[in-house]
Amino acid sequence: MSCPKTPHILQEYLADDLTPLAKEEIDKHLLQCEHCASELEVLMLTQSQLANWQAERVPHWDRGMELFRREHRVGKQSSSWFSAWQWMPTAASFAMLCLLIFNTSVEVGDGGFSVSFGSPVSDMDAALAAFEQEQRTEIDSMIARFESRQDTNNLQLMQAVMSQTQQATVENLDQIYAYFEEQRRQDMQLMSQGYQQLADSDYATVQSLQELAQFVSFQGAR
Amino acid sequence: MSLIDEDEALIAAALNGSAFAWEKLVKRYESKIYNHGLRLMGNSSDAMDLMQEVFLGVYRNLHRFRGDARFSSWIFRIAHNKAVDLNRKKRLLAGYPVDSDNEGDVFDSFADEEGEEPELELLQSEQNRNIMAMLNILPFEQRLIVELKVFQSLTFEEIAEMQDISENTAKTRFYTALRKLKSVTEEYHVLS
Ligand SMILES: [Zn+2]
């Protein structure tokens, strides 16, 4: 027993844009026609048999990492350049500390260049106190600037995360994690800029301290 | 839907030179692409070739990914094109004519790819071996439609657009393919 409608019926049944009316008509035919019904059953069985596929493990491969690393070597170099900057503030702070602790004075005399430790003049204390005060206000204002910038950053971040999670139908930790990862990367860049600024300003501090020391020793020599 | 943003974050980081992000992106899709290749190409070495080609294509074109489509559809589109290319090359090398539309005649390509059974032994799952043996009786065009419809769950409209054929052709091809597979299924059920 066969049915001339079989190809049409089955092909329509498999279509994904079937109108409810057409669906109803097909269902009606399938109830009446044994041949089409059994043909359909086998087709569905075939489909479900295919769908039993279980993911095979991927054999080991390099994932294009070598190519990626080779072609991004330029990027890597710039990051090692950044790490050279990373210890600059530390070095500058250490130099500054030494200058403060030992009250270094640099003297240029007839015999050439000589460095001596300890306070050669009593004016030194007053000069240093004034200098320290000046530095403190400057650092305070710098910290305040940093803090306010950080606050707006955090606010923007929170707002972005909120709108992101509202858009998503399912709250996904993975997604938020990736977002924070990206933010963290941007923060790292910001930080590297910040470091550079700090390094610059520390460097300036060391220079002015040396100038101060020179000035004081010059005063002392007079 | 929920993975879209993470894909985009990984892409942005990879474009910025993060090897970690690139590897994470590859790890996320390699299994899907490899299994896609297994079913389409019928053996693991061609599947590996396909997978490497796909990720090379992704790597070379990553800066062109605009995010107006999902990354998963973008990468599968690349995979689709590479699979068609690879199949064409393979057939030319093997001396077969590149088969064009040969639907209608159920039996004209039964002996299409022979001598690939040893490759199937490499598969971990016996069920997968059966499925691959089934798919291997289909000509490439029909196998492609079955892959896109059953395994990628695309609509006929999407398939038609992807392959530059009419929606009706896509439907007919799918139906023809299923009927061909049906005969194997019936055999399989008689035997077991
Ligand atoms: Zn019927």
Side-chain angles (χ1 to χ4, degrees):
Chain A
M1 190 178 89
S2 72
C3 167
K5 277 183 165 180
T6 308
H8 169 76
I9 292 285
L10 295 190
Q11 214 166 305
E12 283 297 295
Y13 191 91
L14 294 170
D16 32 40
D17 54 357
L18 208 58
T19 62
L21 199 72
K23 172 114 177 61
E24 201 178 304
E25 217 164 283
I26 286 171
D27 285 343
K28 215 158 80 187
H29 179 84
L30 286 170
L31 280 174
Q32 295 165 351
C33 175
E34 225 172 278
H35 182 257
C36 284
S38 75
E39 284 279 301
L40 178 67
E41 200 181 328
V42 185
L43 282 197
M44 296 319 262
L45 188 72
T46 307
Q47 271 207 83
S48 67
Q49 205 184 329
L50 290 175
N52 277 335
W53 180 274
Q54 284 163 341
E56 291 277 334
R57 210 176 35 239
V58 184
H60 180 76
W61 71 300
D62 131 279
R63 297 200 173 98
M65 293 304 278
E66 201 201 311
L67 177 73
F68 190 95
R69 292 216 174 91
R70 198 181 334 126
E71 295 200 353
H72 285 86
R73 210 176 290 155
V74 187
K76 263 175 132 185
Q77 263 167 6
S78 82
S79 83
S80 66
W81 197 75
F82 156 60
S83 62
W85 276 103
Q86 247 174 339
W87 58 260
M88 272 302 288
T90 320
S93 314
F94 182 68
M96 193 162 65
L97 193 69
C98 288
L99 284 166
L100 283 174
I101 287 175
F102 299 110
N103 279 340
T104 320
S105 65
V106 185
E107 275 177 306
V108 186
D110 293 336
F113 203 65
S114 80
V115 181
S116 64
F117 302 111
S119 174
V121 277
S122 53
D123 289 359
M124 183 79 176
D125 288 339
L128 264 183
F131 181 77
E132 203 183 310
Q133 187 57 42
E134 193 190 306
Q135 287 292 303
R136 190 168 292 160
T137 37
E138 223 173 89
I139 286 172
D140 281 349
S141 79
M142 198 168 81
I143 287 172
R145 274 208 310 278
F146 259 102
E147 269 174 358
S148 77
R149 202 168 64 188
Q150 208 50 48
D151 279 351
T152 36
N153 275 354
N154 286 345
L155 196 67
Q156 280 169 351
L157 182 65
M158 277 309 287
Q159 278 169 345
V161 171
M162 296 283 274
S163 67
Q164 289 264 328
T165 37
Q166 269 170 1
Q167 274 167 21
T169 43
V170 187
E171 282 191 15
N172 190 313
L173 276 176
D174 250 17
Q175 179 190 338
I176 295 171
Y177 169 74
Y179 196 83
F180 271 99
E181 267 292 300
E182 174 63 7
Q183 284 300 316
R184 195 186 58 80
R185 201 185 52 74
Q186 282 172 6
D187 282 350
M188 281 296 284
Q189 279 181 344
L190 261 178
M191 210 168 78
S192 97
Q193 285 166 7
Y195 261 136
Q196 200 160 331
Q197 281 172 4
L198 258 177
D200 286 341
S201 68
D202 272 359
Y203 207 68
T205 311
V206 175
Q207 274 186 332
S208 42
L209 262 176
Q210 273 176 342
E211 276 164 16
L212 178 74
Q214 265 171 355
F215 171 74
V216 170
S217 61
F218 175 69
Q219 292 265 313
R222 220 166 38 166
Chain B
M1 284 299 277
S2 53
L3 286 176
I4 294 175
D5 296 308
E6 201 183 347
D7 279 350
E8 284 177 359
L10 288 176
I11 290 163
L15 283 172
N16 248 301
S18 161
F20 172 76
W22 168 254
E23 192 174 26
K24 205 170 168 198
L25 193 66
V26 174
K27 271 187 188 163
R28 177 166 294 159
Y29 286 99
E30 63 180 1
S31 173
K32 284 183 189 140
I33 299 296
Y34 174 69
N35 280 273
H36 172 72
L38 272 180
R39 292 183 300 252
L40 275 185
M41 308 312 297
N43 67 79
S44 55
S45 64
D46 282 343
M48 278 306 276
D49 283 353
L50 178 67
M51 182 183 71
Q52 294 185 9
E53 284 270 308
V54 169
F55 282 107
L56 187 67
V58 169
Y59 176 71
R60 292 273 176 247
N61 293 289
L62 200 56
H63 63 283
R64 292 209 191 108
F65 177 69
R66 289 280 171 261
D68 43 5
R70 289 165 62 183
F71 181 71
S72 57
S73 20
W74 190 68
I75 193 173
F76 272 110
R77 188 169 284 255
I78 292 178
H80 171 265
N81 296 341
K82 297 275 181 201
V84 171
D85 282 355
L86 197 62
N87 179 64
R88 190 173 295 144
K89 256 184 245 163
K90 227 181 106 183
R91 291 189 145 266
L92 284 175
L93 282 174
Y96 287 110
V98 177
D99 66 350
S100 50
D101 265 45
N102 56 354
E103 60 212 2
D105 188 353
V106 178
F107 298 101
D108 66 349
S109 50
F110 249 72
D112 234 23
E113 342 254 323
E114 38 195 272
E116 277 173 347
E117 272 70 24
E119 279 279 358
L120 295 185
E121 297 301 311
L122 294 171
L123 296 189
Q124 295 141 26
S125 143
E126 197 193 328
Q127 206 160 30
N128 287 359
R129 283 201 284 274
N130 288 332
I131 294 169
M132 293 251 292
M134 280 169 78
L135 290 172
N136 273 353
I137 68 162
L138 298 176
F140 186 73
E141 277 78 10
Q142 289 176 14
R143 210 184 308 153
L144 206 49
I145 300 251
V146 170
E147 168 68 24
L148 297 175
K149 188 73 203 144
V150 177
F151 296 98
Q152 315 289 330
S153 309
L154 295 192
T155 65
F156 284 115
E157 195 185 351
E158 287 167 325
I159 293 170
E161 200 257 331
M162 204 172 192
Q163 306 205 334
D164 204 21
I165 54 176
S166 76
E167 222 176 300
N168 252 337
T169 305
K171 282 181 193 170
T172 315
R173 244 179 227 180
F174 182 61
Y175 176 61
T176 313
L178 275 191
R179 267 179 59 216
K180 230 181 263 188
L181 292 175
K182 186 194 81 168
S183 59
V184 187
T185 314
E186 279 169 338
E187 214 173 284
Y188 179 73
H189 278 266
V190 168
L191 288 174
S192 57

